[in-house]
Amino acid sequence: MFIVFEGVEGSGKSTQSRLLSEWMTREGIPNVLTREPGGTQVGEEIRRALLHGGDVPPRTELLLMVAARASFVAQVVRPALERGEIVIADRFELSSFAYQGYGRGLPLADVRRVNEFATDGLRPDITILLDVEPHEGAARRERAGAAPDRIEKAGDDFHHAVARAYRLLSESEPGVAVIRGDVPPNMVQARIRGVLQERFPETFPPGQG
């Protein structure tokens, strides 16, 4: 099974994906926790260029993202799935639709086309969208004392466009579960587990954990 977390900057994806992985491990469910872009050597190098490099034009940004994704799918996701493990990923294709499509203004059809080539048609079994307003995400990052990366510094208009895009995409893309992310982390995690138990009872029996 391939589980993906999505959301605006500061929505809690890293925290919730880690909590889910820890829960699965306690329950004896084999899993791989990873992130995207990243997860592979070339993916991590591309991540550094995307987040901490200089000016990156939108088309270049998209092509770098999907180059990292192609490596991620081939070297991390498919091998783990073949081993019978659950893959938990912080971001995947919905990020490109929201950030490079709606946020950067690239034609969504082109974004989908290059993404399809990069993933070889692989889709998540479920995408968990943590719904948080951009200003709340920014406040969380500020409280954490983290220096903003290149994408986080893109400006309010960009991040509001991304947030709107995620909400639109959640209505049209298959397998997206929207969960409020503006409540305490333990409540968010409980809701995530509930959704997984409801949709995949053969893997996550109701009442487990």
Side-chain angles (χ1 to χ4, degrees):
M1 184 179 297
F2 185 21
I3 300 171
V4 172
F5 282 84
E6 291 282 2
V8 300
E9 308 299 321
S11 59
K13 302 179 312 303
S14 299
T15 297
Q16 294 302 326
S17 58
R18 174 181 54 80
L19 291 173
L20 183 61
S21 175
E22 291 172 353
W23 173 65
M24 286 189 192
T25 299
R26 289 195 302 270
E27 295 294 331
I29 302 172
N31 67 91
V32 173
L33 176 62
T34 186
R35 66 180 183 178
E36 201 259 13
T40 65
Q41 181 177 349
V42 67
E44 292 295 335
E45 291 174 359
I46 290 173
R47 182 186 184 90
R48 283 192 290 273
L50 283 166
L51 300 185
H52 306 292
D55 182 44
V56 181
R59 288 179 182 271
T60 304
E61 183 178 274
L62 171 63
L63 292 172
L64 286 171
M65 286 285 189
V66 297
R69 186 165 300 142
S71 173
F72 178 70
V73 167
Q75 296 180 280
V76 177
V77 182
R78 288 199 185 277
L81 295 178
E82 290 169 2
R83 293 193 300 267
E85 298 172 337
I86 292 177
V87 178
I88 305 169
D90 181 341
R91 294 201 184 281
F92 195 58
E93 62 183 8
L94 215 63
S95 287
S96 290
F97 302 162
Y99 279 76
Q100 284 77 52
Y102 287 88
R104 301 299 192 197
L106 296 177
L108 192 57
D110 291 344
V111 177
R112 290 183 184 278
R113 187 159 47 248
V114 296
N115 179 76
E116 180 77 10
F117 178 76
T119 63
D120 194 24
L122 180 70
R123 303 295 303 273
D125 292 283
I126 184 170
T127 299
I128 298 169
L129 173 59
L130 299 177
D131 190 19
V132 171
E133 292 294 338
H135 65 83
E136 171 61 22
R140 290 178 179 181
R141 298 195 309 272
E142 186 175 343
R143 288 195 296 269
D149 60 39
R150 187 184 66 84
I151 291 178
E152 289 170 347
K153 292 188 288 187
D156 290 344
D157 289 346
F158 173 80
H159 290 292
H160 282 288
V162 169
R164 287 193 298 271
Y166 270 128
R167 288 166 184 155
L168 287 171
L169 291 164
S170 72
E171 298 173 358
S172 60
E173 295 297 306
V176 179
V178 181
I179 294 178
R180 283 183 55 192
D182 58 352
V183 295
N186 62 322
M187 293 178 63
V188 177
Q189 183 64 197
R191 176 58 180 149
I192 291 167
R193 296 176 191 177
V195 168
L196 292 175
Q197 289 169 330
E198 178 183 336
R199 296 197 182 188
F200 309 104
E202 68 285 354
T203 303
F204 308 103
Q208 185 179 44

